[in-house]
Amino acid sequence: MKSSSVRNRKVQLGFGAAILTLLGAGVISYRALVESNRSLGWVRHTDQVLDQLQELLYASQNIESNSVGFALTGDKSYIESFNGNILREARAEGSIEQLTADNAAQQHRVPVLKKLLAQKIRLSESVIDLRRAKGLEAAAALVGDGAGHQTTGDIQDLVLEMQNEERRLLAARDAGAIRQLELTKIVLAVGSLVGLLTALVAEWGVRHENVKRGRTEETLRHSEEKYRMLVDGVRDYAIFMLDLRGQILSWNAGAEKVKGYKAEEIIGHNFSCFFPPEEIKQGRPEELLRLTAITGRQEEQRMRIRKDGSRFLANIIFTALRDRDGNLQGFSEFSHDLSESKESGAKYRGLLEAAPDAMVVVNQSGEIVLLNVQAEKQFGYRRDELVGQKVKNIIPEGFAERLIADGTRSAAEALAQQIGTGIELSGRRKDGSEFPIEIMLSPLESAEGILVTAAIRNISTRKDAEEHLAQMEGRYRGLLEAAPDAMVVVNQSGEIVLLNVQAEKQFGYRRDELVGQRVKNIIPEGFAERLIADGTRSAAEALAQQIGTGIELSGRRKNGSEFPIEIMLSPLENAEGILVTAAIRNISVRKDADLQLVQKVEELNRSNEELQQFSYVASHDLQEPLRMVASYTQLLASRYKGKLDADAEEFIDFAVDGCNRMQRLIQDLLAYSRSGTDGKALQKRSSEDALNNALKNLSGTLAESGAVVTHDALPVITTDDTQLEHVFQNLVGNAIKYRGTEVPTVHISAARKGLDEWTFSVRDNGLGIEAQYFERIFILFQRLHGRTEFQGTGIGLAICKKIVEGLGGRIWVESQLGKGSTFYFALPQRDQKYDTDAATFAPTEVLLVRDGLRACEKHHDFPLTKGELQ
C-alpha cells in the first residue's frame, strides 16, 4: 500500500510540475496577448484621434466655404449646409477632447483649438449676417480682409501639431510592445521544453501504474460473471457497471432495450455517450462520477440519448462500488425510461404541430420535454437542442424566475397560478437576441405527473405597432382629432398606422382594431385595389398618383354595411418614410340629394319646353360670366407673363386651363341639349356625304395623328344629315383619340338588315373597352381614362346615343381590350315622310349637370358606381 501510495505521489508530482510549467507558459502567453491587444488598442485609438482631427478640419473648411458661397450667391441651401457643418465640427471637437484625455500635451492644445474654431464660426456668421443685411459688397469686403484665411491657417497648423503628437506616441508604444514580445518568445521556448520533459516522465509513471490497474480490473471482471445471468434477466431496466474512468464494463438485456446498443457495440466505451452534447461540454459525466464517489449514491431524472440519437427522460441511480478495504473499484448505473410511449407521443405530436403558435411542454423540473416546429422557428434552435433543457434558457426573465425560484412549491404549482392568463415576457433566441412574447399556459396530466403546455406567440409586430402608434399619436393626435372628417394615416405597406375619433365613429371600429390592419378592410373596392395590386410600385407611389384629388368610393363599416365616401389624399414624410393621410367624408346625404336631383333632371328631359329653357340658361347664365372670367385670366396671362414668380404664373395657367375646359364642357352640354331633330322633317340624304363632311371637320386631327380612314359605299337614307354628321364626327374622332401604339386606322361600312333598317359600323384598332363598360360609356360624363391621358368631357357618346335614338334607331359597341372597338348604330329605312310626332326622344340615363361640372372641376375621371346610376 505504501509503495503504491509513493508511486501515485510521484506521478502526481510529475504531472503537477508539468501543469505548473504549462500554466506559467500560459500566463506569459496571456500577458503577451494582453500587450498585443493593448498595442492594437493604441493603434485604433490613434486612428480615431487622427480621423476626428481630419473630420474637424473638413468641417471648419466647409463652414468657411458655405458662408462665402452664401455671400456670393445668396442661395439658402448654403445656410443649411453651414448649420450642418457646425454640428459636425462640434461632434468632432467633443470626440477629440474625450479621446486625448490621457495626454496632457494634447489637452493643452484643445482649448486653443476650441478658441480658433469659435473665432472661425463667428467670422463666418458675420459674413452671412452682412450678406443678409447689406448685400454682396459688404460681405465680400469682410471676406477679403484676410482674417478668415489667417484663422484657417492657425487651425491647420494646430491640427497638424496634434496629429504629429499622436503619431509620436504610437511609435513609442509600438517599440515597447516589440521588446515585450521578444522577451515573451524566449520565456515560452524555455518553459515549453521543461514542460515537455516533465510530461514524458509523468507519462512513464502513468503507464507503469496502468499495468497494475489492468490486473485489478481483470479480477473485477471475473467477479462480475457471478451475477451477470441475474441482471440479464431484467429487461425493463438498464443495469451496467463502469470503471473508475466511466468506461462501460458490463451490459444487460434491459440496457440494450433502453439504450439501443448491443453489448459488443458499447462495452469499452465511455458512458458519456448517453449524455446530451450540452451536458458533455459542461463536464456533467465526470461531475456525476465525482459526486457518486463522495456520497456513495446519486439519483436524478435527466434526458439521455439513445443510439439512434433520440432523447428520452430517464430515472437514473448511480452507486459507488468499493472492495472490502473501502477502496473505490468502479460504479454501477441503474436507469429506467420515463418517457411516454410512442402511441402517446403520436397523439400529442399532431396537435402540437397543427398549432399556429410555438408550443412548449415543460415538466415539473422546469425542463422542456416536447416542442413543435413553430418553437424551433421562433427561437432558432433545433428540436434536439431544446429537449431536456431548462425553460429559462429561452424565457430568461419574469416567468422563468417565478417558475423555479420558490423551493416550497413544485414547478407545476408555480405554473398553475398563471393558467389561463396571457403573460407578456421576453423570449431569447439561440443567437442571444430577445423579442417580446405572450405566453398562455395550460396543465397536462401524464404518467410522470403534471406537465404544463405553454403556447408562445411572438408579439414583436404588435409591440412595434403600439410603440409606433404612441409616437405617432404624440406627434399628430391634436391635429387629427381637430379634423371634422375621418382621418386615416397609411404607411407604404398599405397598413393603417393612425386614425382619429371620427374614423372610429364612421367605420364602427375601436382604434386598436384598425391600427396595423390593411386599409382595404375599410375601403374594399376601387382605391384599395389600386393601392396594393401593382407589385412593381410601392404603395406610396400608387397613392402619390391620386394626391390632391377627391376620389368617390365606398367604405365598409365593421358590421359589413357599405356607404359612399369621398377621399382626399396628401403625402406625409417622416423618419419611417412616406405616409399618406386620407381625409374621408361620408357623402351619403349628398348622394341622396344627388339622386333626387337626377330624378328631377329626368323629368326635365321628358319636357322639351323645359329642356329648351335649360339650353337658354346654359347659353346665357353660364357662358356670359364664364366668358368674362376667361377674358380676364387670359389678359393676366399675356400681360404679366415673365413678370411674376413661378407659383403665380402656374396659378394663372391653372385658371386659364380651367376656364377653357369649362367652356368646352358648356358647349358640349349645349350640343347635347340641342341634339335631335327639333321637329324637322326628315329627308333622303346621302350618308356618305355626311361622313365626308365629318372628315372635313376632323381634317386637322387626321393630319396630326396620321390616321387612315376608309369606308365602303354608303347608302342614301331618310335622316337628318346634320345630326348624322355629328354622329360620324364623334365616333371617328373617338377612334383617333383613343388610339393604341399603332397608327390609327378607321373603317366605316353599312349593311342593310331586312327591308326596314340600315346598320352602320365604325371599326378601329385602338385601345379597346372592357365588356363591363359597354353600356355605361353612352351615359353623360362617363369616362374610362384620366383627364391627363385624354382630353374630353365624356359627353360625345351620350350625344350620339341621343341623336340615334331621336332618329328612331339604336347604338351599341363590341370591343376587346387591346384589340380595338367597333361601334354600331342602326337607323330605320323609310320610304315615306317621317312622322315627327312619332320621333320623340327615347328616355336616356342623364346624370345631374351639377355633378358633371363638379366632377370635371375635380378631375374625377373614374367610372361611377352602381349607386350613382340609380
Side-chain angles (χ1 to χ4, degrees):
M1 292 295 293
K2 290 183 177 179
S3 61
S4 176
S5 175
V6 170
R7 283 194 299 271
N8 289 337
R9 196 173 294 114
K10 288 180 179 179
V11 171
Q12 292 172 358
L13 288 174
F15 275 114
I19 291 171
L20 288 175
T21 303
L22 293 176
L23 284 175
V27 169
I28 295 171
S29 299
Y30 177 75
R31 290 186 59 190
L33 180 61
V34 169
E35 189 64 28
S36 177
N37 287 335
R38 184 181 300 168
S39 177
L40 182 59
W42 284 119
V43 172
R44 288 195 297 266
H45 179 273
T46 300
D47 289 340
Q48 290 177 347
V49 174
L50 293 177
D51 289 343
Q52 292 301 316
L53 286 170
Q54 194 63 40
E55 174 74 4
L56 185 141
L57 191 58
Y58 287 157
S60 172
Q61 293 171 347
N62 289 338
I63 288 172
E64 181 179 9
S65 63
N66 288 330
S67 63
V68 173
F70 178 76
L72 294 176
T73 65
D75 188 350
K76 294 182 179 179
S77 64
Y78 283 105
I79 300 299
E80 296 177 1
S81 180
F82 176 80
N83 293 331
N85 279 290
I86 289 178
L87 293 176
R88 180 180 172 190
E89 180 270 324
R91 286 194 296 269
E93 183 181 289
S95 297
I96 291 169
E97 184 174 8
Q98 183 179 4
L99 290 171
T100 60
D102 60 332
N103 190 326
Q106 296 288 53
Q107 285 292 296
H108 286 303
R109 295 186 179 96
V110 169
V112 179
L113 181 62
K114 285 184 176 181
K115 182 177 180 181
L116 290 173
L117 291 171
Q119 182 178 347
K120 166 66 86 176
I121 293 173
R122 287 195 300 271
L123 182 60
S124 298
E125 289 175 341
S126 300
V127 171
I128 292 173
D129 293 339
L130 279 175
R131 177 64 173 84
R132 286 173 170 167
K134 297 184 179 182
L136 175 60
E137 293 182 359
L142 181 57
V143 171
D145 69 359
H149 296 296
Q150 178 62 38
T151 305
T152 299
D154 292 342
I155 292 173
Q156 290 175 344
D157 292 342
L158 186 55
V159 168
L160 182 59
E161 288 181 15
M162 297 180 76
Q163 289 174 337
N164 291 335
E165 172 64 14
E166 289 298 320
R167 294 189 181 100
R168 183 193 66 76
L169 285 175
L170 179 60
R173 288 163 180 160
D174 284 345
I178 291 172
R179 288 193 300 273
Q180 182 65 31
L181 184 59
E182 292 297 328
L183 178 60
T184 301
K185 289 179 180 178
I186 295 172
V187 174
L188 282 177
V190 175
S192 298
L193 181 59
V194 173
L196 178 61
L197 292 174
T198 306
L200 289 175
V201 173
E203 176 65 17
W204 179 85
V206 170
R207 292 187 181 218
H208 182 70
E209 181 64 23
N210 284 342
V211 171
K212 291 190 64 178
R213 185 177 297 168
R215 297 193 187 100
T216 304
E217 290 175 353
E218 182 64 28
T219 302
L220 182 60
R221 282 194 294 271
H222 179 71
S223 65
E224 287 178 352
E225 295 296 333
K226 296 179 181 180
Y227 59 88
R228 183 178 302 279
M229 294 180 62
L230 176 63
V231 297
D232 278 345
V234 181
R235 304 191 60 85
D236 292 330
Y237 293 85
I239 304 172
F240 54 93
M241 296 179 63
L242 308 172
D243 64 13
L244 294 174
R245 295 177 298 169
Q247 306 294 328
I248 299 172
L249 303 176
S250 67
W251 195 252
N252 77 331
E256 181 177 340
K257 178 183 177 182
V258 174
K259 307 285 189 178
Y261 294 92
K262 294 182 180 180
E264 60 270 18
E265 294 176 326
I266 196 63
I267 290 178
H269 291 76
N270 195 280
F271 84 122
S272 62
C273 64
F274 306 136
F275 288 74
E278 58 272 14
E279 292 193 9
I280 295 175
K281 291 180 181 179
Q282 296 168 0
R284 179 60 184 170
E286 295 80 4
E287 177 69 12
L288 189 57
L289 293 182
R290 187 183 67 80
L291 293 174
T292 304
I294 294 173
T295 62
R297 187 177 186 274
Q298 283 291 115
E299 182 176 357
E300 64 179 10
Q301 287 187 7
R302 290 274 186 172
M303 298 303 296
R304 291 292 182 261
I305 306 295
R306 293 188 178 92
K307 177 183 176 181
D308 60 7
S310 61
R311 297 190 180 209
F312 65 98
L313 182 63
N315 180 266
I316 308 157
I317 300 174
F318 278 92
T319 304
L321 303 177
R322 299 181 182 275
D323 60 17
R324 293 179 181 179
D325 297 327
N327 296 318
L328 183 63
Q329 299 297 314
F331 306 92
S332 68
E333 178 181 321
F334 186 89
S335 58
H336 176 53
D337 185 357
L338 293 180
S339 62
E340 297 192 38
S341 65
K342 294 182 179 179
E343 294 78 6
S344 179
K347 180 173 65 176
Y348 298 111
R349 176 65 59 188
L351 180 63
L352 289 183
E353 296 300 343
D357 297 320
M359 303 294 292
V360 176
V361 180
V362 182
N363 66 14
Q364 297 183 31
S365 300
E367 296 172 343
I368 299 171
V369 298
L370 198 60
L371 65 149
N372 67 351
V373 69
Q374 289 296 330
E376 294 182 84
K377 291 180 180 178
Q378 281 199 24
F379 292 97
Y381 288 91
R382 297 193 314 274
R383 193 162 309 200
D384 59 353
E385 292 177 323
L386 279 181
V387 172
Q389 299 302 306
K390 293 289 187 181
V391 71
K392 67 178 181 180
N393 290 350
I394 60 174
I395 308 176
E397 295 180 1
F399 169 69
E401 284 71 6
R402 275 200 301 262
L403 176 64
I404 62 176
D406 191 348
T408 64
R409 300 182 297 164
S410 68
E413 290 171 336
L415 286 166
Q417 290 189 352
Q418 305 298 335
I419 298 301
T421 63
I423 313 166
E424 292 189 5
L425 301 169
S426 290
R428 179 185 292 156
R429 299 185 180 92
K430 182 178 179 180
D431 60 11
S433 61
E434 296 192 358
F435 61 103
I437 60 174
E438 184 178 69
I439 187 167
M440 294 289 293
L441 307 173
S442 59
L444 177 66
E445 292 187 4
S446 70
E448 289 73 40
I450 296 178
L451 304 178
V452 173
T453 301
I456 302 171
R457 176 169 297 172
N458 186 334
I459 57 173
S460 300
T461 302
R462 191 181 79 192
K463 286 294 183 182
D464 291 343
E466 291 174 354
E467 181 180 355
H468 185 68
L469 176 62
Q471 295 174 353
M472 294 290 289
E473 286 182 346
R475 193 179 306 169
Y476 304 115
R477 173 59 57 196
L479 177 63
L480 291 185
E481 295 300 344
D485 296 323
M487 303 294 291
V488 176
V489 180
V490 182
N491 65 17
Q492 297 184 31
S493 300
E495 297 173 345
I496 298 172
V497 298
L498 196 60
L499 64 149
N500 66 353
V501 68
Q502 290 297 329
E504 294 182 81
K505 291 180 180 179
Q506 283 198 22
F507 292 98
Y509 288 91
R510 297 194 314 273
R511 193 161 307 197
D512 59 354
E513 293 177 322
L514 280 181
V515 172
Q517 301 301 311
R518 294 283 184 178
V519 71
K520 67 178 181 180
N521 291 350
I522 60 173
I523 308 175
E525 296 180 0
F527 169 67
E529 282 72 5
R530 268 199 302 271
L531 176 63
I532 62 175
D534 191 346
T536 64
R537 298 182 298 165
S538 68
E541 292 171 334
L543 285 165
Q545 291 186 353
Q546 307 300 335
I547 298 300
T549 64
I551 312 168
E552 293 188 3
L553 302 168
S554 291
R556 177 184 292 161
R557 300 184 180 93
K558 182 179 179 180
N559 62 10
S561 61
E562 296 192 358
F563 62 102
I565 59 175
E566 183 178 71
I567 286 186
M568 292 292 292
L569 305 175
S570 60
L572 177 66
E573 293 187 8
N574 71 349
E576 291 76 28
I578 296 178
L579 303 178
V580 173
T581 301
I584 304 172
R585 177 169 296 174
N586 186 333
I587 57 173
S588 301
V589 175
R590 192 181 80 194
K591 283 295 180 181
D592 292 341
D594 290 350
L595 181 60
Q596 295 177 2
L597 290 175
V598 167
Q599 294 172 350
K600 291 182 180 180
V601 170
E602 290 177 347
E603 293 176 2
L604 287 175
N605 287 338
R606 290 193 293 268
S607 172
N608 189 40
E609 180 180 352
E610 292 177 353
L611 186 61
Q612 291 176 353
Q613 181 179 1
F614 165 75
S615 300
Y616 173 78
V617 170
S619 176
H620 183 270
D621 294 349
L622 290 180
Q623 280 195 329
E624 189 60 33
L626 187 59
R627 288 193 192 99
M628 182 170 58
V629 173
S631 298
Y632 280 113
T633 53
Q634 291 170 359
L635 180 62
L636 286 172
S638 61
R639 176 172 295 180
Y640 294 100
K641 186 71 173 180
K643 297 179 180 180
L644 302 175
D645 59 33
D647 288 341
E649 291 189 353
E650 183 180 9
F651 296 155
I652 292 175
D653 290 341
F654 285 159
V656 172
D657 180 65
C659 290
N660 291 337
R661 287 189 291 105
M662 186 61 75
Q663 285 180 324
R664 288 197 300 270
L665 176 63
I666 293 175
Q667 290 169 0
D668 287 345
L669 286 172
L670 289 174
Y672 177 79
S673 65
R674 293 168 179 168
S675 60
T677 61
D678 290 333
K680 293 192 298 184
L682 304 183
Q683 300 179 359
K684 288 186 177 293
R685 299 294 183 186
S686 169
S687 58
E688 191 167 320
D689 289 344
L691 173 62
N692 290 331
N693 290 336
L695 295 179
K696 288 179 182 178
N697 295 336
L698 294 171
S699 59
T701 302
L702 292 170
E704 181 182 354
S705 64
V708 177
V709 181
T710 59
H711 63 85
D712 298 337
L714 302 180
V716 174
I717 61 174
T718 303
T719 186
D720 184 324
D721 56 347
T722 302
Q723 299 295 325
L724 183 60
E725 178 183 321
H726 287 166
V727 173
F728 279 129
Q729 183 171 333
N730 277 328
L731 294 181
V732 174
N734 279 354
I736 297 172
K737 180 194 298 185
Y738 300 107
R739 58 183 178 267
T741 57
E742 302 176 356
V743 174
T745 60
V746 186
H747 183 75
I748 301 95
S749 61
R752 186 159 187 168
K753 186 177 181 181
L755 299 176
D756 299 327
E757 186 178 78
W758 280 97
T759 299
F760 293 82
S761 65
V762 180
R763 184 176 70 252
D764 64 56
N765 65 339
L767 297 175
I769 305 169
E770 294 184 58
Q772 59 181 318
Y773 302 124
F774 284 179
E775 295 294 332
R776 295 172 62 181
I777 58 175
F778 294 103
I779 301 174
L780 201 63
F781 300 127
Q782 293 298 286
R783 306 196 61 219
L784 305 184
H785 303 279
R787 183 177 62 82
T788 57
E789 297 179 81
F790 301 99
Q791 293 186 352
T793 57
I795 298 178
L797 290 177
I799 292 176
C800 292
K801 185 174 186 292
K802 185 175 180 182
I803 290 175
V804 170
E805 290 180 347
L807 293 172
R810 64 189 190 281
I811 186 169
W812 68 97
V813 64
E814 294 178 1
S815 179
Q816 187 173 355
L817 197 62
K819 297 185 178 180
S821 306
T822 302
F823 282 85
Y824 297 92
F825 63 93
L827 296 176
Q829 171 60 26
R830 301 181 179 87
D831 293 330
Q832 67 279 2
K833 183 177 179 181
Y834 182 63
D835 184 3
T836 57
D837 294 335
T840 56
F841 297 151
T844 59
E845 294 182 279
V846 180
L847 292 179
L848 185 63
V849 171
R850 182 177 59 79
D851 268 357
L853 297 176
R854 186 186 70 244
C856 289
E857 289 170 351
K858 292 186 176 181
H859 320 310
H860 188 327
D861 298 329
F862 307 111
L864 302 180
T865 62
K866 289 183 178 180
E868 293 170 316
L869 297 174
Q870 294 175 350

